[in-house]
C-alpha cells in the first residue's frame, strides 16, 4: 500500500498550523535478497514510499510492531542509511546525505539503549562536548561552559561530569544522551524508543524531561515507540506503520477514539493498558 492507496485514512494534513520542520517525500528503502544460485534475486522493502510532514513545535508519534520499518526510517532521516528512493527536507531544504556534519546541526537522535550509544572510554563531559569540538564551536573555555550548562539542564549532578558511562544508572546515561543531542541546539530530535530500556519510574522522569526541554527550546519531536500508553499522553499526532508503509495518520484523539485502519485497531486491542491513563507512570500523567 502506498500513499495514493490510503484515501481518507491519510487526510491532507488538516493538522497543526505553522512551518514544516521535517518532510519525507516518497521515502523508500529496499534491500536485495539472494535466493539461490539459479533464482533471480528478490527484495525486501523495509520502508515503502513513506511521505510525512512534521510541523515545527509538534510531537509526531510513529508506532508499529517490531520489524515494521520504524528504526530504518529513523536511520535514513539521520543520514545513517541512504534511501533507495525519495528524499528528506529539513526546514524546506533538501538534505544532502554527504553533508552529515551540517545536517547534524538541525536534527539529532536519542536512541533506545544509551549504554551502547555512549563511548565507554570517555567521561560524561567529554561525550557531551565532543560535538562542539567536531563542529569547532567556541574555544575550550566556551565549550566547557556550554557542557556544564546543558548537563545541569538535564539534571546531571556536577559530581558525574568526570564519570564514565558504566558508573552511571540507566536514567543518568539517557540524560547524558539527551544532553549530547541538545548541545548543538538542533531543531528536531528523533527519539527512537528512548525509554523502553528503562524502569517505569525512570521512564516517567525522562519523558517529563523531554516535555520540559521541548517547551524551553521549542523543539520538534519524532517520537518512535511501540508503547501506546506513552504515545497517548505525549504526542500531538500519530502515524501508524505496518510492513514499511504508513497505514493511518490522525490526531492523537482520533487514533485512540476512532481508529480507521484494521491494523491500528489491532494494535490498540493488543495494548496492555486499554483504559486511558492506566499503566502510565503517575509522574507523567500529572505533568
Amino acid at each position: 500500500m502506498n500513499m495514493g492507496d490510503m484515501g481518507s485514512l491519510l487526510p491532507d494534513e488538516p493538522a497543526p498550523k505553522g512551518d514544516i520542520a521535517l518532510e519525507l517525500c516518497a521515502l523508500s528503502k529496499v534491500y536485495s535478497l539472494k535466493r539461490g544460485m539459479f533464482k533471480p534475486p528478490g527484495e525486501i522493502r523495509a520502508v515503502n514510499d513513506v511521505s510525512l510532514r512534521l510541523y515545527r513545535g509538534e510531537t509526531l508519534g510513529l508506532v508499529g510492531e517490531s520489524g515494521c520499518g520504524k528504526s530504518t526510517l529513523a536511520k535514513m532521516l539521520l543520514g545513517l542509511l541512504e534511501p533507495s528512493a525519495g528524499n528528506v527536507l529539513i526546514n524546506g531544504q533538501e538534505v544532502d546525505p554527504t553533508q552529515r556534519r551540517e545536517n547534524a546541526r538541525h536534527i539529532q537522535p536519542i536512541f533506545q539503549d544509551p549504554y551502547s550509544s555512549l563511548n565507554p572510554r570517555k567521561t560524561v563531559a567529554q561525550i557531551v562536548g565532543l560535538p562542539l569540538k567536531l563542529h569547532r564551536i567556541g574555544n575550550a573555555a566556551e565549550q566547557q561552559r556550554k557542557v556544564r550548562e546543558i548537563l545541569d539542564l538535564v539534571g546531571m549532578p556536577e559530581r558525574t561530569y568526570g564519570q564514565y558511562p558504566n558508573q552511571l544508572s540507566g536514567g543518568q546515561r539517557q540524560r547524558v544522551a539527551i544532553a549530547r543531542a541538545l548541545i548543538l541546539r538542533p531543531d528536531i530530535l528523533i527519539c527512537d524508543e528512548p525509554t523502553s530500556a528503562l524502569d517505569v519510574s525512570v521512564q516517567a522522569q525522562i519523558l517529563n524531561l523531554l516535555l520540559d526541554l521541548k517547551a524551553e527550546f521549542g523543539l520538534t519531536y519524532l517520537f518512535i515507540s511501540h508503547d501506546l500508553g506513552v504515545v497517548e499522553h505525549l504526542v500531538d499526532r500519530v502515524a501508524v506503520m505496518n510492513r514499511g508503509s504508513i497505514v493511518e495518520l490522525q490526531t492523537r484523539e482520533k487514533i485512540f477514539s476512532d481508529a480507521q485502519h484494521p491494523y491500528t485497531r489491532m494494535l490498540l486491542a493488543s495494548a496492555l493498558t486499554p483504559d486511558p491513563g492506566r499503566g502510565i507512570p503517575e509522574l507523567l500523567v500529572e505533568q
Side-chain angles (χ1 to χ4, degrees), residues 66-266:
S66 296
C68 71
K70 303 188 303 295
S71 292
T72 300
L73 184 64
K75 290 176 182 177
M76 287 192 288
L77 298 180
L78 294 166
L80 302 177
L81 279 178
E82 185 176 351
S84 302
N87 51 33
V88 178
L89 282 72
I90 297 178
N91 300 325
Q93 300 295 317
E94 185 173 346
V95 171
D96 183 348
T98 65
Q99 301 295 319
R100 289 182 59 183
R101 182 171 296 187
E102 180 60 28
N103 298 336
R105 289 178 174 265
H106 299 286
I107 185 168
Q108 282 286 324
I110 302 172
F111 293 114
Q112 175 179 357
D113 183 3
Y115 191 73
S116 63
S117 68
L118 302 178
N119 190 331
R121 298 180 180 179
K122 292 188 179 294
T123 66
V124 166
Q126 290 172 334
I127 289 170
V128 174
L130 183 58
L132 296 176
K133 291 186 176 182
L134 291 177
H135 289 263
R136 299 175 181 175
I137 298 175
N139 56 36
E142 292 170 337
Q143 291 174 1
Q144 186 178 36
R145 175 181 56 79
K146 288 178 180 292
V147 168
R148 296 176 69 88
E149 287 177 353
I150 199 68
L151 283 171
D152 180 64
L153 191 63
V154 301
M156 288 297 292
E158 186 174 353
R159 59 179 170 77
T160 64
Y161 295 0
Q163 293 181 339
Y164 294 87
N166 67 340
Q167 297 175 292
L168 306 175
S169 67
Q172 287 177 326
R173 286 194 287 264
Q174 196 60 290
R175 289 175 188 270
V176 173
I178 293 171
R180 180 182 59 184
L182 287 176
I183 195 70
L184 294 178
R185 295 292 192 268
D187 309 301
I188 304 160
L189 289 187
I190 307 297
C191 306
D192 189 359
E193 303 273 10
T195 61
S196 62
L198 305 175
D199 294 337
V200 172
S201 60
V202 180
Q203 286 183 25
Q205 296 172 20
I206 296 300
L207 291 171
N208 280 326
L209 174 61
L210 290 173
L211 289 172
D212 291 341
L213 293 170
K214 178 187 175 184
E216 180 158 350
F217 294 110
L219 295 169
T220 302
Y221 290 155
L222 177 63
F223 193 90
I224 301 171
S225 180
H226 67 275
D227 190 331
L228 293 174
V230 169
V231 167
E232 184 179 7
H233 288 270
L234 194 69
V235 308
D236 302 300
R237 292 186 300 146
V238 182
V240 182
M241 195 168 192
N242 182 32
R243 297 182 179 179
S245 297
I246 303 297
V247 297
E248 187 162 4
L249 172 62
Q250 299 285 359
T251 64
R252 174 190 59 193
E253 294 81 4
K254 182 74 171 177
I255 285 286
F256 284 94
S257 65
D258 188 25
Q260 299 296 300
H261 197 276
Y263 179 73
T264 308
R265 294 197 292 268
M266 183 274 292

